[in-house]
Amino acid sequence: MQNSDKDNIKLICDISELSNLFTDSNSLENFLSKTVEMVASHMKADVCSIYLYSDGTQELILKATMGLNQGLIGNVKMNVDEGLTGLALKELRPICERNASRNPNFKYFPDLGEEIYESFLAVPILRGTNKVGVMVIQNSEKNYFKEGDVTVLQAITSQLANTIEMARFLLSLDEDRQQKKVIKEEGDLKFVKGRVGSPGFVFAEAVVLLESNSLWLNQAVVQEHTVDDFYKALKDSEHQLEDMQTQIEETLADIASFIFNAQILMLKDSIFVNAMVDKIKKGIKPHAAIIEVAGNYLKKFDNIADEYLKDRSQDVKDICRRILSNLIGFDVNATNCEGRILIAKELSAGDVLKYSSEKVKGIILLSGGVTSHVCILASSLQLPVIIADEPRLMSIRNNTRVLMDAEIGNLYINPTDDIIESFREKQKLLKTSAEISSELKEKTFTADGSQVHLLANINLLGDLKIAKHYKAEGVGLYRTEFPFIVRKDFPSEEEQLVVYKKLFEGMPGKEMTIRTLDIGGDKVLSYFQEHSREKNPFMGMRSVRFSLRHKDIFAQQIRAILRASVGADVKIMFPMISSVDEFVEAKQLVLNCVSELRSSGAEFQVNPTIGMMIEMPSVMEILEELANYSDFFSIGTNDFVQYMLAVDRTNERVADMYLSHHPSILRAIKKVVDVSAKYGKEVSVCGEMAHEEKYIRYLLGIGVRRFSLSPSYIPKIQRAIMNVQIKDAEAFAKEILSMDKLTDISKKIGIS
Ligand code: PEP
Ligand code: MG
């Protein structure tokens, strides 16, 4: 073939022109088919075809052809180990064959009509090292393509790669829509029964958090913007993020730092911004430049298993959506959740904080457990959460009105006026917190005068206000991990000192139980690489295991606690202790810190009380020995139930097996209480069981007198305790302890 016959520069310019005409996913097929037509005609080839590579199925799929059977578009598929086309992508190099049908790699597809074309040239379509697809030209004449043709085709495919990548974004958006359509056909959703993750009522419009990388831009493409508009959108985005950061700092001082930092940093990152600016300067429309750059970044993250980087991919999506929104003047996606109910498949604790700071009103999750830390945190943020394993919720259209009754776990989609009215009535009947607190007593006694201590579980410093309001007698559990979760690196001793000082200042003179770091499980630190590699994180490097493995971090925390608690009634508590050895090792570290601080001359707490949580089945046989070492016990029923019954507390699919009233659990709690009494050690219950009214009688009956609970439940639990006679409770507990069947216990306790 006479390569010199062709004006190759013109072809490249034509393809470039064609790319610019490409506007949305609907024109993708059109675009590809025009491209193959143009290339075939220009290269004087009998055939030109484009195969696109699917990351999901790892197959090449015929998407456009000029010269082969067009009826097979979409149906001819091969993996990269098949055929000469596959080989081009597998080896990331052009494959030029003079006599293709003789090549052992030639793959015959019936009806495609390829066999008559002997000259074959395949060039991979690549964006960097990312596989996009393969362009193939063929001719019936043998030995037809020459070296120069390879170069031309390579220039064309590199032009095509960007446009096809953008098309993929749009197609994934279309897939979302397709999926929505299919789901919609399953019938209109009116009511869903879920479980309460965090209580409250909300009636608001819904917004669905889609998982795909797609960015909504249909309206955007019809608008014209300049590079100045783009810069303005960047500035607006930066101001919005800084405002949100300031607001959250005012309300959530302990955990505020850095929530939006990653996004703010990206806006200031010249590589990220210049990638967009360069494209705009080359004539790409600003909205398309944003999407292309977002796509490039996300693609890179997709191929990495690392959790930290995966987290950053969410930041990329969020920041690009924000810039796009600011550019085109309306919300481009689901992230504007202010005043709305967010529906998501799953969220991390960090996500909950972020959406809370963006003023979401309620959250509906498709997965997760009610004792998961996402829910625990949400209740601290007074953010109602319902967990409902109903995939059709993801198909709800944005702005659909949803009523969440997160007191009992009911969801109403587009509720009728009657339902709305009945909820307004129900809300009126609920006493205001002012009314309730006026009934609250400073101290809690049973009906026959036994004193019971109600302490607060504190997750965020903001909980202290509620704890004081509801007259908590102190803090029975301060979960120190949340300030660790939201940061981008381990907080220093000094940073922790500031947070802990605020804690002690928040309830001066009251007892303060501060639990050492309990990360891992569902509280993954994005900056700690080892967590991302764990297959079974609840059984992994969690909690005190982490602290003992990383003694430098552990010691920093202990020193910060000791320095912050000068003169305070402080109790240091280790989570997830499984053996005497672990407890002794952890306690020794505290004692070492005491000696270290003493020689440094710093002011610190010299004599902290040191205790442990009961969360692991392994401690049940060594309780008496542990009582010799530990100053107190606190029963963390959330984990205790999880580990005793081997039921993941965050897995919605086994939620019906997560049974706190299992006889083994109830008897084990009694055993802990008995051993504590025998050794004169304080014992409390600090898991979610402590705020469930139905268990109060039983727990009082076996001798529990200290409950640590989310402070908003204090009024309800105080009232329940005030109605109990200890004698009745003891008889009740005795009867339950004699039962061996869950069904009998359920009936007796009143579990439906
Ligand atoms: C528990 O496990 O019951 C507990 C109180 O700790 P956390 O919920 O933080 O794991
Ligand atoms: Mg626990």
Side-chain angles (χ1 to χ4, degrees), residues 373 479 515 518 523 542 575-576 613 615 636 638-640 649:
H373 289 93
R479 291 180 166 103
R515 177 176 76 182
D518 183 24
K523 288 177 287 191
R542 199 194 146 184
M576 237 183 115
M613 295 188 73
E615 298 182 290
N638 303 337
D639 278 314
F640 192 57
R649 65 193 265 194

